[in-house]
C-alpha cells in the first residue's frame, strides 16, 4: 500500500484524471472493507487512507463539482466503519470526511446533513484519537453549513468546547472549535459571557503556558472581529474593571517575553491590537505596552516562523503504531486566513499609531527607535 501511495503522489503532480481516480478509489474502498474486519496493521491502514486523500485532493482541486460522485463511493464504507466503531480507523474517516467537505462547492448535501448530529454525541469525543479529527470536521461544518441548521446544535457544540478546554491534552482542540464558532456563528447566538468565564476560570485554576498563549491568541481574534470595546464590555460584565485588568496584565503582558512567530498568528495579533488601541488611549501604560507589541511584530521580531501546512508533505511519512491519532499528511488543509479581506496590515498599524494624540515613550530604547522609524514611513 505504501508503494501505491508513492505512485499516486507522483501521478498527482501532473494530475490524475477523474476516471482513473474513480477506478483506483473503488479498489481502495474494497480494501477498506477488508481492513474494517481486521484493522491490525497500522501502517497499511495509514497508507490506505493517505492514498484516498491523494485522490481526493488531486481531483477536487481541479474539478470540485465531482465531490458528489466521490461521496457516493466513500460514504458507504465510511459509514460501515463508523457503525462498527472501528477505533483504529475512525480518526482517518473523520479526516477524509473533513477534506471532502472542504472541497465541496456549496452546502452540505443530504449525507453530510444526516451525519452531523451523531458527531456531537459526547461518547464519541471521549476516545482520544477521535478528538483532533472530529474537531477539524466540525469546524468545516461551521464554515459550510447554513447558520439556521447549525443553530439547532449550538448548545451541543458549546458543551463540547467546555469539555475540550477543560482538558490539558485537548485544550488546543477546544480553542480551534471556539475560534470557528466565533468566526462563523452570529455573535448574538453565542453566550460569550459564559465563554470568557470558562476561559479565565481555567486559566486561574489550572492554566499552563500553552493554555495562556491560546487565551491571548483568542483575545486577538475576538477583538479583531468585534472590536476592543466589545472585549472590555464582556469582561467587565463578569467583574468590574476586569476588562482593562485582563488587557494589561494578561494579554499585553505576554508580548514582553513571548512574541508570536507564526505568520498568520502575527497578522491576527496585529489586527486585534489595532482594534484595541483606540479603546485604551486614555491609559498610558496600556498604550505603551500595546505600541511596544505592535512595533515588535511589524518590525519582524516574530516573523521567523513559517505558516503551518503550506508546503508539500514529505513522501516518506512517519507513522506511529502507538498513537491513537495519526494525521493524514495528504489531507492537510491550507492555512485559513480569518481576515483575508485585509491585505495591508502594516498600513493599518501605521494608521493606528498615527491616530494617537502623541507617540508614547517606550521603556526600551530599541523599541523607541523602531517606533520613530515606523512613523517616518510615508
Amino acid at each position: 500500500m505504501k508503494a501505491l501511495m508513492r505512485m499516486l503522489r507522483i501521478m498527482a503532480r501532473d494530475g490524475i484524471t477523474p476516471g482513473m481516480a474513480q477506478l483506483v478509489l473503488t479498489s481502495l474502498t474494497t480494501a477498506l472493507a477488508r481492513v474494517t474486519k481486521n484493522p491490525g496493521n497500522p501502517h497499511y491502514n495509514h497508507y490506505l487512507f493517505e492514498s484516498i486523500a491523494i485522490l481526493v485532493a488531486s481531483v477536487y482541486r481541479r474539478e470540485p463539482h465531482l465531490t458528489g460522485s466521490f461521496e457516493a463511493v466513500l460514504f458507504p464504507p465510511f459509514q460501515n466503519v463508523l457503525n462498527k466503531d472501528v477505533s483504529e480507523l475512525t480518526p482517518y474517516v473523520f479526516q477524509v470526511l473533513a477534506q471532502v467537505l472542504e472541497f465541496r462547492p456549496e452546502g452540505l448535501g443530504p449525507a453530510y446533513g444526516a451525519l452531523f448530529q451523531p458527531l456531537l454525541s459526547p461518547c464519541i469525543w471521549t476516545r482520544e484519537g477521535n478528538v483532533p479529527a472530529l474537531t477539524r470536521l466540525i469546524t468545516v461544518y461551521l464554515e459550510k453549513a447554513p447558520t439556521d441548521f447549525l443553530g439547532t446544535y449550538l448548545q451541543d457544540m458549546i458543551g463540547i468546547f467546555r469539555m475540550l478546554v477543560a482538558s490539558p491534552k485537548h485544550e488546543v482542540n477546544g480553542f480551534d472549535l471556539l475560534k470557528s464558532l466565533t468566526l462563523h456563528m452570529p455573535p448574538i447566538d453565542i453566550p460569550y459571557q459564559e465563554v470568557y468565564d470558562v476561559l479565565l476560570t481555567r486559566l486561574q485554576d489550572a492554566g499552563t503556558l500553552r493554555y495562556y498563549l491560546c487565551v491571548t491568541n483568542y483575545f486577538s481574534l475576538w477583538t479583531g472581529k468585534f472590536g476592543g470595546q466589545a472585549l472590555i464590555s464582556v469582561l467587565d460584565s463578569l467583574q468590574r474593571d476586569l476588562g482593562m485588568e485582563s488587557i494589561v496584565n494578561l494579554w499585553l503582558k505576554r508580548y514582553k517575553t513571548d512574541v508570536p512567530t507564526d505568520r498568520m498568528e502575527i497578522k491576527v495579533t496585529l489586527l486585534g491590537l489595532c482594534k484595541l488601541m483606540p479603546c485604551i488611549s486614555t491609559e498610558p501604560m496600556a498604550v505603551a505596552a500595546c505600541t511596544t507589541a505592535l512595533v515588535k511584530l511589524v518590525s519582524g521580531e516574530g516573523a521567523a516562523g513559517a505558516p503551518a501546512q503550506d508546503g508539500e508533505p514529505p513522501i516518506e511519512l512517519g507513522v506511529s503504531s502507538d498513537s491513537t491519532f495519526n494525521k493524514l499528511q495528504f489531507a492537510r488543509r491550507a492555512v485559513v486566513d480569518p481576515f483575508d479581506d485585509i491585505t495591508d496590515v502594516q498600513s493599518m498599524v501605521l494608521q493606528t499609531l498615527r491616530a494617537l494624540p502623541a507617540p508614547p515613550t517606550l521603556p526600551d530604547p530599541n523599541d523607541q527607535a523602531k517606533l520613530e522609524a515606523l512613523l517616518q514611513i510615508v
Side-chain angles (χ1 to χ4, degrees):
M1 187 55 69
K2 182 178 181 180
L4 175 62
M5 181 202 72
R6 290 170 60 87
M7 183 182 69
L8 289 174
R9 187 67 193 99
I10 294 168
M11 292 173 61
R13 291 171 182 164
D14 296 322
I16 302 173
T17 65
M20 175 64 74
Q22 192 88 5
L23 183 65
V24 176
L25 188 62
T26 301
S27 297
L28 291 174
T29 54
T30 301
L32 176 56
R34 293 195 302 270
V35 167
T36 302
K37 298 175 184 177
N38 181 21
N41 186 335
H43 287 79
Y44 184 92
N45 300 344
H46 188 88
Y47 294 126
L48 170 62
F49 279 93
E50 291 283 14
S51 299
I52 294 173
I54 291 170
L55 293 174
V56 169
S58 177
V59 174
Y60 285 3
R61 284 196 180 104
R62 292 173 174 83
E63 304 185 63
H65 64 280
L66 294 176
T67 53
S69 61
F70 270 43
E71 287 174 19
V73 177
L74 289 173
F75 260 88
F78 282 6
Q79 195 66 57
N80 187 38
V81 170
L82 299 179
N83 288 341
K84 292 183 177 180
D85 193 22
V86 185
S87 60
E88 297 90 342
L89 303 182
T90 50
Y92 291 125
V93 167
F94 293 140
Q95 289 178 77
V96 177
L97 285 172
Q99 182 193 25
V100 173
L101 186 54
E102 284 161 11
F103 282 113
R104 215 172 197 282
E106 57 183 30
L108 296 179
Y112 274 103
L115 182 63
F116 188 65
Q117 185 174 9
L119 296 178
L120 301 178
S121 174
C123 62
I124 202 173
W125 291 83
T126 58
R127 186 172 294 149
E128 291 184 3
N130 286 342
V131 171
L134 272 173
T135 302
R136 176 183 172 186
L137 181 53
I138 296 301
T139 60
V140 182
Y141 268 98
L142 285 162
E143 295 171 16
K144 295 285 187 176
T147 53
D148 56 348
F149 171 85
L150 294 167
T152 307
Y153 306 103
L154 180 59
Q155 288 306 312
D156 297 308
M157 290 187 281
I158 294 291
I160 291 169
F161 149 71
R162 293 185 64 132
M163 177 179 67
L164 295 179
V165 86
S167 164
K169 185 171 288 188
H170 298 305
E171 60 196 15
V172 171
N173 304 118
F175 276 98
D176 287 342
L177 178 57
L178 176 60
K179 288 186 287 188
S180 191
L181 285 165
T182 301
L183 291 170
H184 301 293
M185 292 298 290
I188 195 172
D189 292 345
I190 300 180
Y192 281 116
Q193 186 178 19
E194 173 190 337
V195 166
Y196 277 109
D197 188 35
V198 169
L199 295 181
L200 297 180
T201 299
R202 160 75 203 280
L203 183 63
Q204 182 178 8
D205 294 345
T208 61
L209 175 59
R210 184 176 69 171
Y211 184 85
Y212 168 60
L213 298 181
C214 285
V215 170
T216 56
N217 287 340
Y218 183 67
F219 276 13
S220 297
L221 178 82
W222 202 87
T223 304
K225 185 170 177 63
F226 300 120
Q229 190 55 54
L231 178 67
I232 293 171
S233 296
V234 72
L235 293 176
D236 282 350
S237 70
L238 295 174
Q239 179 182 311
R240 184 177 178 181
D241 298 328
L242 181 62
M244 191 58 64
E245 179 183 335
S246 298
I247 287 168
V248 174
N249 297 321
L250 177 62
W251 184 8
L252 297 178
K253 185 178 180 180
R254 167 191 172 172
Y255 307 115
K256 292 181 179 180
T257 56
D258 189 289
V259 180
T261 57
D262 176 83
R263 293 176 192 170
M264 193 56 62
E265 188 180 329
I266 289 171
K267 177 180 178 178
V268 172
T269 302
L270 287 170
L271 292 175
L273 294 176
C274 286
K275 292 285 189 73
L276 173 68
M277 185 71 88
C279 308
I280 60 174
S281 58
T282 59
E283 302 287 338
M285 290 182 60
V287 169
C290 189
T291 302
T292 298
L294 287 171
V295 167
K296 286 178 180 293
L297 289 166
V298 83
S299 63
E301 284 193 24
Q309 303 180 354
D310 267 357
E312 181 178 292
I315 197 69
E316 295 294 340
L317 304 172
V319 182
S320 168
S321 58
D322 299 323
S323 175
T324 57
F325 174 77
N326 280 299
K327 180 181 287 188
L328 292 174
Q329 296 301 310
F330 295 113
R332 299 183 309 170
R333 74 177 309 180
V335 175
V336 177
D337 185 349
F339 302 105
D340 57 359
D341 57 321
I342 299 174
T343 56
D344 191 352
V345 182
Q346 179 171 293
S347 292
M348 176 177 283
V349 172
L350 290 174
Q351 187 177 24
T352 299
L353 294 174
R354 287 169 178 159
L356 293 171
T361 300
L362 305 184
D364 187 322
N366 291 328
D367 293 334
Q368 185 68 38
K370 291 175 184 177
L371 171 61
E372 291 170 2
L374 272 175
L375 294 175
Q376 296 301 315
I377 296 176
V378 178

